[in-house]
Amino acid sequence: MIYNLPFLTVVALIAIGIYAIIFKRNLIKIAVGITILESGVNLFLITLGYREGGVAPIFTNLPPGISPDQIPEKMVLPVPQALTLTSIVIGVAVLALILSFTINIYRKYGTLDAGKIRRLKE
Amino acid sequence: MKKLAFIAFVVFLFFLFYSAYEMRDFGNPPSNVRETFPDAKYKVTMDDRIIGKYNTTTGEWEYGAVEETGANNVVTSVVFDYRGYDTLGEATVLFTAIAGIMLLFGREKK
Amino acid sequence: MKNEEMNEGKMTVIVQTIAALLFPLALIFSFYVIMHGHLTPGGGFQGGAIGASAVVLLIVAYGVKHVEEKMTEGGFSVFESLGGLIFVVVAIFGLFLATSFLANFLVNEPIFGKIPGWGQAPLNSGGILPILNIAVGMKVIGGLSAVVLILALISREGEEK
């Protein structure tokens, strides 16, 4: 059980993110919650792809102990890392869009409270 | 309403912890497909197939990313070759986000 | 004097000198990470983020007004679109010269298609992967720099009001 500590870390990150998204009213705090949730998802993908004692799947400058017979057993899985790379860049783009929307909302309504900006304003 | 949200959050938390409890061991991904699917055509999993196999006697790659794409970095060959469509879509997402920000805050040309 | 400088978003002359020294080094490191994306850890996205951080360093040190005179967000946007165009054009070349869209038509060819053996790391390997890395690097440098520049401009205008 204690050996599965990375999965518990993923659970903690996702729980903190969901908590911030559901129970916080400030839009900036909701954006921070979305980012934490996304970090949890990225950590989950990387954790799924880890293989015990593995090195990065790059053949340049391998550590001295790795011989061709030990490939692929001594390398971590490459596909989850590639998908995480995609996910990180998308996360940055989405976070920038969220923050610019937040700036726009603050300029129009003068507040960042999600409960107070519900009314329409001309 | 707040109480309902709290109940939903607790149920979600329970499912999270349950799935973390049921998860396979950390650092030990499956390496043999035929253990789970006996009729599988190949024995190695997708990731092991992509990492490849080097033949020391002939000095050539039997299969794998280096033989197919020529790049030493397997992650790069996955990102740009095997999953190039993903990268194209991701570039589109980046472009769309920046176009949205430009639309919100862009100024007219002087 | 000091208060006026703070109002314009500038930092002291020490920070400005160090930033001017580090800006070309950061760009060189970004180009290195992009060009060696098929050999070492890194690639277009990471190198592009490093290059964008060089622009952010300039914005932090010199203030957004000064940086905006040299490089506009329209220029960054054109740079980004150029990267996307290179990506799609190379992908369509794969459609015509080889089997499918995004096919690696340069691998096993004379110049760029060298296949490295065990322990080798030639720069001219990888086929179209270095070209796609450069395209994505241009895209990320332009995109992130434009986003940071616009957000800095917006917050500066908000403070002046």
Side-chain angles (χ1 to χ4, degrees):
Chain A
M1 186 66 189
I2 194 65
Y3 193 58
N4 276 350
L5 197 60
F7 290 117
L8 292 179
T9 315
V10 169
V11 167
L13 281 175
I14 291 180
I16 291 170
I18 292 282
Y19 176 82
I21 292 170
I22 293 180
F23 293 107
K24 292 295 175 187
R25 309 287 293 272
N26 195 327
L27 288 177
I28 298 285
K29 287 179 183 172
I30 292 177
V32 171
I34 289 172
T35 313
I36 293 173
L37 176 64
E38 191 189 293
S39 310
V41 173
N42 291 340
L43 182 64
F44 179 59
L45 280 173
I46 287 292
T47 309
L48 277 185
Y50 183 70
R51 191 181 265 152
E52 196 176 356
V55 299
I58 295 165
F59 292 104
T60 312
N61 293 333
L62 274 175
I66 308 290
S67 69
D69 310 328
Q70 293 170 322
I71 304 301
E73 285 80 19
K74 275 286 184 186
M75 282 190 169
V76 299
L77 311 187
V79 174
Q81 296 204 359
L83 294 185
T84 310
L85 181 57
T86 311
S87 162
I88 288 173
V89 179
I90 288 179
V92 169
V94 169
L95 180 66
L97 197 57
I98 287 173
L99 286 181
S100 54
F101 272 127
T102 310
I103 292 173
N104 225 10
I105 283 173
Y106 183 74
R107 286 189 169 180
K108 263 208 156 43
Y109 293 96
T111 177
L112 280 178
D113 197 331
K116 286 181 187 162
I117 58 177
R118 213 177 288 154
R119 66 199 162 86
L120 290 171
K121 196 176 182 184
E122 66 273 359
Chain B
M1 195 62 200
K2 194 117 182 177
K3 197 175 280 182
L4 196 67
F6 190 75
I7 292 171
F9 178 69
V10 168
V11 170
F12 183 75
L13 206 62
F14 169 74
F15 277 114
L16 274 180
F17 273 109
Y18 181 68
S19 50
Y21 177 73
E22 288 282 311
M23 187 62 69
R24 63 166 168 77
D25 281 347
F26 170 66
N28 191 17
S31 60
N32 193 342
V33 180
R34 291 209 183 107
E35 283 177 358
T36 321
F37 303 103
D39 299 333
K41 193 176 175 187
Y42 297 105
K43 190 184 157 195
V44 295
T45 57
M46 175 180 70
D47 294 270
D48 291 350
R49 162 72 179 74
I50 287 174
I51 287 173
K53 194 79 193 164
Y54 186 73
N55 196 334
T56 42
T57 54
T58 60
E60 282 180 348
W61 292 89
E62 290 177 9
Y63 54 83
V66 182
E67 197 262 335
E68 284 168 4
T69 68
N72 261 344
N73 190 340
V74 182
V75 178
T76 296
S77 52
V78 171
V79 167
F80 287 107
D81 198 293
Y82 294 105
R83 290 199 162 260
Y85 275 109
D86 257 7
T87 307
L88 190 56
E90 175 196 358
T92 314
V93 169
L94 193 67
F95 184 80
T96 313
I98 289 155
I101 295 173
M102 288 264 182
L103 195 65
L104 274 178
F105 293 132
R107 299 155 300 169
E108 291 89 19
K109 278 182 183 167
K110 292 156 196 167
Chain C
M1 180 67 188
K2 198 184 174 190
N3 277 334
E4 285 174 11
E5 279 185 356
M6 293 300 275
N7 281 338
E8 287 173 7
K10 287 180 183 173
M11 296 184 100
T12 58
V13 70
I14 302 172
V15 181
Q16 289 186 1
T17 311
I18 298 293
L21 280 176
L22 283 184
F23 178 68
L25 290 181
L27 280 189
I28 288 171
F29 183 53
S30 154
F31 190 66
Y32 162 76
V33 171
I34 292 174
M35 276 311 295
H36 287 240
H38 58 294
L39 295 176
T40 55
F45 298 110
Q46 297 91 331
I50 294 169
S53 76
V55 179
V56 174
L57 184 69
L58 275 194
I59 292 176
V60 168
Y62 284 90
V64 68
K65 286 275 164 53
H66 183 76
V67 174
E68 197 216 355
E69 292 169 1
K70 307 290 181 197
M71 29 188 152
T72 60
E73 79 261 20
F76 282 128
S77 191
V78 168
F79 198 64
E80 188 212 354
S81 308
L82 201 62
L85 193 67
I86 291 174
F87 194 102
V88 175
V89 163
V90 170
I92 289 178
F93 265 118
L95 182 61
F96 286 116
L97 296 180
T99 51
S100 65
F101 193 71
L102 269 171
N104 201 337
F105 60 91
L106 279 178
V107 76
N108 260 333
E109 294 294 319
I111 301 173
F112 290 110
K114 200 167 184 303
I115 290 180
W118 185 263
Q120 298 173 348
L123 192 59
N124 57 346
S125 63
I128 62 170
L129 296 190
I131 306 172
L132 295 183
N133 262 324
I134 290 174
V136 170
M138 286 170 69
K139 212 168 158 47
V140 174
I141 288 180
L144 290 186
S145 304
V147 166
V148 172
L149 194 59
I150 286 182
L151 288 184
L153 272 175
I154 290 308
S155 58
R156 181 62 51 197
E157 283 172 9
E159 277 180 17
E160 280 171 4
K161 280 174 191 170

